[in-house]
Amino acid sequence: GENVEQHPSTLSVQEGDSAVIKCTYSDSASNYFPWYKQELGKRPQLIIDIRSNVGEKKDQRIAVTLNKTAKHFSLHITETQPEDSAVYFCAARSDYKLSFGAGTTVTVRA
Amino acid sequence: EAGVTQSPTHLIKTRGQQATLRCSPISGHTSVYWYQQALGLGLQFLLWYDEGEERNRGNFPPRFSGRQFPNYSSELNVNALELEDSALYLCASSLAAGYNSPLHFGNGTRLTVT
């Protein structure tokens, strides 16, 4: 089955700086890679996703890149704000099953 | 549009009992997924239902089971509860399998086993 590794497990950044979270996956058949944000006590919410036929996707301050050859994908958050503080999960879909990374706790310092 | 709804919000059981958790997907979604989120851990895949059939299950013992009803709502049953079953159980729904569509999560059921 698919195995998704996510790094770092915690990330502290100064407000206004960038944050980068990296994930690797094991199944070369994986073709869909979403990112979810989970604020304390709330449901995970989709913030951006990318399909295997695309190398990069941007949505305002958030961007995701995918390297299929190396089997890794990354989330980039620019100009971080306090409301970006949350746990971020990457995921990879293989055989219709979505496997999640262990999560990255992002703290934005004011 | 109503989101994914789960009930109950909280559930307290004692070891050895059975728990039943319920999920209603977004209207038009036929796939339902169940995940376990233990404290400090990620989301562990439990079960996937599509069009009333169990399509895949994660690495959990058989005492975790469920079903999907004709209206696409779903139920997760956990038998012979153990202390380590204490976790947040999240349900998610998506369009039918094959559309590669995003999962939308509910707020979860917090199960506490004492």
Side-chain angles (χ1 to χ4, degrees), chain A residues 10-83:
Chain A
T10 61
L11 181 60
S12 179
V13 296
Q14 190 69 37
E15 182 178 355
D17 287 350
S18 295
V20 180
I21 303 170
K22 298 181 179 181
C23 290
T24 61
Y25 61 98
S26 60
D27 189 347
S28 56
S30 289
N31 58 7
Y32 174 66
F33 307 90
W35 287 85
Y36 285 83
K37 174 183 179 182
Q38 187 176 29
E39 296 177 59
L40 193 62
K42 295 189 176 181
R43 70 179 78 185
Q45 292 199 297
L46 179 73
I47 55 171
I48 194 167
D49 58 9
I50 191 167
R51 287 170 171 75
S52 58
N53 58 346
V54 176
E56 184 175 354
K57 184 176 178 180
K58 283 186 77 171
D59 182 4
Q60 299 182 339
R61 297 186 296 108
I62 293 173
V64 59
T65 58
L66 171 65
N67 184 325
K68 285 179 60 181
T69 304
K71 290 192 280 188
H72 67 70
F73 56 114
S74 301
L75 178 72
H76 304 252
I77 306 173
T78 58
E79 299 171 26
T80 53
Q81 300 168 5
E83 54 264 36

Side-chain angles (χ1 to χ4, degrees), chain B residues 52-95:
Chain B
E53 302 274 335
E54 182 182 301
R55 303 292 186 181
N56 206 341
R57 68 178 291 131
N59 295 326
F60 281 84
R63 57 191 186 83
F64 287 84
S65 65
R67 53 181 170 165
Q68 187 178 34
F69 300 99
N71 66 353
Y72 303 115
S73 66
S74 178
E75 197 173 84
L76 174 68
N77 295 294
V78 188
N79 294 320
L81 284 165
E82 300 179 2
L83 296 177
E84 53 264 33
D85 296 334
S86 294
L88 179 68
Y89 289 83
L90 290 162
C91 172
S93 74
S94 74
L95 292 171

Side-chain angles (χ1 to χ4, degrees), chain A residues 36 38 43 51 93 98, chain B residues 35 37 45 100 103 105 107:
Chain A
Y36 285 83
Q38 187 176 29
R43 70 179 78 185
R51 287 170 171 75
R93 175 175 272 163
L98 198 60
Chain B
Y35 284 85
Q37 187 174 29
F45 171 73
N100 220 7
L103 269 60
F105 284 89
N107 285 326

